[in-house]
Amino acid sequence: MVAVSKGESQIRGEIQMSSYRVAQAGAAGAPFEIVEREVPEPGPGHVRIAVAACGICHSDAMFVQGELPGVRFPLVPGHEIAGRIDAVGEGTDSRWRVGDRVAVGWFGGSCGHCTPCRQGDFIVCPQLKVPGWAYDGGFAEMTVAPADALARIPDGLAAPDAGPMACAGVTTYNGLRRSSGRPGDLVAVLGLGGLGHLGVRYAVAMGFEVVAIARGADKGDFAKQLGAHHYIDSTARPGVAEALQSLGGARVVLATAANSSAITATVDGLTHRGELVVIGADSEPLGIFPTQLLMNARVVRGHPSGTAQDVQETMEFSVLHGIRPTIETMPLEHANEAYGRMLAGAARFRMVLTG
């Protein structure tokens, strides 16, 4: 989030600066404070990124509150980063050069040698390097990231839109394209928030018959604006499962809502061999009985985010189909206000910090 007169087109390497600003939490649950730090130099296999925008994800709260093991304070969160490379470390892949527009998401690099990595399944690496956890995140004017975390931002996608694609976008996009759903299948998206509104748009673009599920009849018009073919008010009667079955049963339910009760209510709405893909995180257990799965051979699957390549493909698909996140932007110095709006659910639908 470098404030320069030439805007995002300015290559950071042209500017001589000895310090940069970050928004950091000094202790678990503490408010953000703007602090100046010395400009870091990228090491081997790393690049320095001049941050143009960084989305605020609900999972950032887990870091800020110190709820995850290994979180260190002071903490600079942010794993929906978009900007430009302004310095390249020694021995870094030559495909990455100063001036390249890049995004870094939940996947901030992997160890490269564990069993999942050796199998090519980098996103479930037990030593996954999440920005804001393994290293300073994007609530800053710059950050240093490993080269394997970089996704190239396509032309036509602005930085404030690209940032959320690196987590919210790739999670919903991957959750759908790697599901058992095929074009023409009935696919339901539970929740119409920061993840769900993108999930509906992606599902429509993939050729599914799309059902949006949310609380309240008032969200029906918005669901239709996103392209949903059907809308189910989860507070109405009959319940969600019955409503899905009246449409023939869902081949896939993409559960973006962080509400275990709401997720559980969709299970009986799945068709035979239907699949529940869970991407909304809740601390409460799912109340699913084995017979709900056994009798109709249903599947429940957790889905993580996606690799840097997945992020790049998400952005390319988004440009191709004109899909953008609905965002609200604030400057870095308003990090506390922006973070508070995210926590309160006041943003519609993704808060993004910019320069």
Side-chain angles (χ1 to χ4, degrees):
M1 281 161 279
V2 181
V4 293
S5 60
K6 294 184 181 179
E8 188 191 347
S9 65
Q10 172 72 58
I11 297 176
R12 174 74 181 187
E14 298 173 358
I15 310 171
Q16 299 299 318
M17 294 183 67
S18 60
S19 66
Y20 70 106
R21 299 181 305 155
V22 304
Q24 69 177 33
F32 294 109
E33 54 182 350
I34 304 299
V35 175
E36 288 200 1
R37 296 184 177 180
E38 287 189 13
V39 172
E41 292 299 325
H46 288 66
V47 303
R48 189 173 66 215
I49 300 170
V51 179
C54 184
I56 303 178
C57 180
H58 203 278
S59 58
D60 284 323
M62 296 188 297
F63 305 120
V64 175
Q65 296 300 324
E67 297 173 355
L68 295 176
V71 173
R72 297 180 299 276
F73 292 91
L75 173 83
V76 180
H79 57 266
E80 293 186 342
I81 304 165
R84 285 184 183 272
I85 296 174
D86 85 331
V88 178
E90 182 180 356
T92 301
D93 189 328
S94 61
R95 290 176 297 176
W96 301 108
R97 299 182 178 181
V98 170
D100 287 348
R101 301 176 69 234
V102 295
V104 179
W106 179 266
F107 179 85
S110 57
C111 76
H113 56 74
C114 67
T115 298
C117 285
R118 285 168 60 84
Q119 293 172 337
D121 201 359
F122 304 105
I123 192 60
V124 291
C125 171
Q127 298 180 57
L128 189 69
K129 302 171 186 175
V130 181
W133 192 0
Y135 53 87
D136 286 346
F139 287 22
E141 291 180 327
M142 63 176 58
T143 189
V144 172
D148 65 329
L150 303 177
R152 197 175 299 278
I153 300 175
D155 293 340
L157 190 62
D161 292 327
M165 293 296 182
C167 182
V170 70
T171 302
T172 51
Y173 178 69
N174 263 0
L176 290 167
R177 71 167 174 168
R178 294 184 176 170
S179 73
S180 59
R182 296 295 177 266
D185 285 347
L186 189 75
V187 169
V189 177
L190 173 65
L192 285 177
L195 292 170
H197 84 287
L198 287 170
V200 170
R201 302 246 4 229
Y202 286 135
V204 171
M206 291 177 187
F208 300 130
E209 182 181 354
V210 180
V211 185
I213 307 170
R215 292 179 58 85
D218 58 312
K219 295 184 177 68
D221 287 342
F222 177 65
K224 295 298 177 65
Q225 291 171 17
L226 293 172
H229 304 95
H230 312 279
Y231 177 72
I232 296 175
D233 174 6
S234 62
T235 66
R237 294 290 179 267
V240 171
E242 291 87 345
L244 286 173
Q245 289 297 344
S246 72
L247 295 170
R251 174 62 58 189
V252 175
V253 171
L254 181 71
T256 74
N259 185 310
S260 292
S261 295
I263 295 172
T264 299
T266 67
V267 174
D268 286 333
L270 291 167
T271 188
H272 61 282
R273 300 193 182 278
E275 182 181 25
L276 172 61
V277 181
V278 180
I279 62 176
D282 190 5
S283 59
E284 296 298 317
L286 296 174
I288 300 173
F289 292 95
T291 51
Q292 290 178 277
L293 307 179
L294 292 171
M295 300 304 292
N296 289 287
R298 292 166 176 151
V299 174
V300 179
R301 180 169 62 85
H303 173 73
S305 179
T307 65
Q309 182 62 34
D310 292 325
V311 172
Q312 188 163 315
E313 291 171 4
T314 299
M315 293 189 291
E316 291 168 350
F317 185 89
S318 299
V319 170
L320 183 64
H321 291 277
I323 297 172
R324 302 291 187 275
T326 301
I327 63 172
E328 181 179 342
T329 63
M330 285 189 178
L332 179 65
E333 54 267 27
H334 291 178
N336 282 302
E337 182 182 354
Y339 180 76
R341 285 182 61 77
M342 179 279 295
L343 286 179
R348 202 74 169 174
F349 289 92
R350 214 70 180 171
M351 292 302 305
V352 178
L353 295 175
T354 61

